[in-house]
Amino acid sequence: MMLGVKTSGTAVACSHFLSPRAFPPTAVAITLRHLNPYCSYRSIKMSAEQIVEHVVLFKAKPDADPSKLTAMVNNLNSLTSLNQVVHLSSGPLIRDRSSSFSFTHLLHSRYKSKSDLTDYSAHPDHVSVVKQYVLPMVDDIMAVDWVPIEFSGPTGVPPGSAMRLTFLKLKENLGENEKSQVLSAVGGIKEKFSGIEQLTVGENFSPGRAKGFSIASIAVFKGVDELEALESQKELANGQKEKVKDFLDGVVVVDYAVLPTQSASL
């Protein structure tokens, strides 16, 4: 989702980079139960083909009507029907671990090319949803787009999955060697955490909407329980963080659960 919205807020270094905390799955179920199951899931194996990741983080207005927030999410999820979209899911966050922004909702989508993402952004249905349902409900937006350095597995994230999304702001004047070290450390996470079923890592190509964050990753887990299991691997997480902390000026980490298809009947 590509929005021309003025954003605010200053990122600060955050100690939550891969530093897990437990959270109650029941809270997620209660929050998601009124949303429609539009999340697409296409088990297409991508090898030589390119995938473009698109993530938008929203901060809902403190006085936003809950029913209107539900309408916002449902209408965002309805955009999965657009031809350009390979995968799309939107909903409330399980947790924003970055207190400097306090994001509340997320949209994650995938495309086969940058031009497909551009066409999606310009599509009349997308423009209508943004103007009618999104902009009146949010105070702040951050958007990040990247082409994963490597991609394997299904293009869709299965309903019921959990995701940890990490966005890194590098210190100014870092060289290519330091940037490569950061990308290598983030890309090596999957080998160290067995619960990660899919990991994508890359450099943001939409700097105007990303608040200075230039490296992004998504770690996909089978479910919330598997994401919670990171709590028992704090030493490994801290070890990965130590490798890159001197290169970072800010970190945003959010956890998100993809809406189960059965939620609409609850």
Side-chain angles (χ1 to χ4, degrees), residues 7-244:
T7 57
S8 60
T10 302
V12 295
C14 173
S15 62
H16 295 308
F17 176 49
L18 282 175
S19 178
R21 296 179 183 174
F23 46 83
T26 52
V28 180
I30 292 171
T31 305
L32 297 179
R33 66 191 304 171
H34 299 295
L35 304 180
N36 288 334
Y38 283 104
C39 172
S40 66
Y41 175 36
R42 305 179 188 180
S43 299
I44 304 171
K45 297 293 183 179
M46 303 297 291
S47 52
E49 291 187 77
Q50 172 182 275
I51 278 293
V52 175
E53 299 275 29
H54 175 59
V55 173
V56 184
L57 297 172
F58 308 95
K59 180 181 178 181
K61 294 179 178 179
D63 59 348
D65 184 332
S67 66
K68 291 184 178 180
L69 287 176
T70 298
M72 178 187 81
V73 169
N74 288 340
N75 278 275
L76 286 171
N77 278 317
S78 73
L79 297 174
T80 192
S81 63
L82 300 185
N83 291 334
Q84 298 85 0
V85 175
V86 175
H87 166 82
L88 187 147
S89 174
S90 183
L93 295 175
I94 296 172
R95 175 174 294 171
D96 179 359
R97 299 172 181 273
S98 313
S99 59
S100 58
F101 290 111
S102 301
F103 292 116
T104 60
H105 293 72
L106 170 149
L107 178 141
H108 169 232
S109 54
R110 286 174 170 172
Y111 308 83
K112 290 185 178 181
S113 67
K114 292 181 181 180
S115 62
D116 279 353
L117 173 57
T118 299
D119 291 344
Y120 158 83
S121 174
H123 195 285
D125 289 354
H126 171 261
V127 173
S128 176
V129 168
V130 170
K131 289 182 177 180
Q132 184 174 352
Y133 295 99
V134 177
L135 297 184
M137 291 292 103
V138 300
D139 274 341
D140 197 10
I141 291 174
M142 171 176 156
V144 182
D145 306 315
W146 71 99
V147 177
I149 296 172
E150 295 181 3
F151 186 91
S152 62
T155 56
V157 181
S161 299
M163 303 165 60
R164 174 158 295 174
L165 301 95
T166 302
F167 306 97
L168 308 179
K169 177 186 286 188
L170 302 181
K171 290 182 177 178
E172 292 185 11
N173 303 318
L174 281 186
E176 290 299 317
N177 181 56
E178 290 85 355
K179 182 192 295 184
S180 295
Q181 289 182 54
V182 175
L183 288 168
S184 177
V186 178
I189 290 170
K190 192 174 187 297
E191 298 177 357
K192 297 182 179 296
F193 298 90
S194 59
I196 298 177
E197 298 200 334
Q198 186 182 64
L199 178 72
T200 78
V201 181
E203 293 187 60
N204 175 50
F205 61 80
S206 301
R209 305 176 293 125
K211 300 181 182 291
F213 289 83
S214 60
I215 293 179
S217 70
I218 297 177
V220 179
F221 299 80
K222 184 177 181 180
V224 172
D225 289 344
E226 287 74 17
L227 179 58
E228 285 185 318
L230 289 179
E231 181 67 22
S232 64
Q233 298 177 290
K234 285 183 178 180
E235 290 187 8
L236 270 178
N238 289 335
Q240 290 297 105
K241 182 175 67 176
E242 285 294 320
K243 294 179 181 180
V244 299

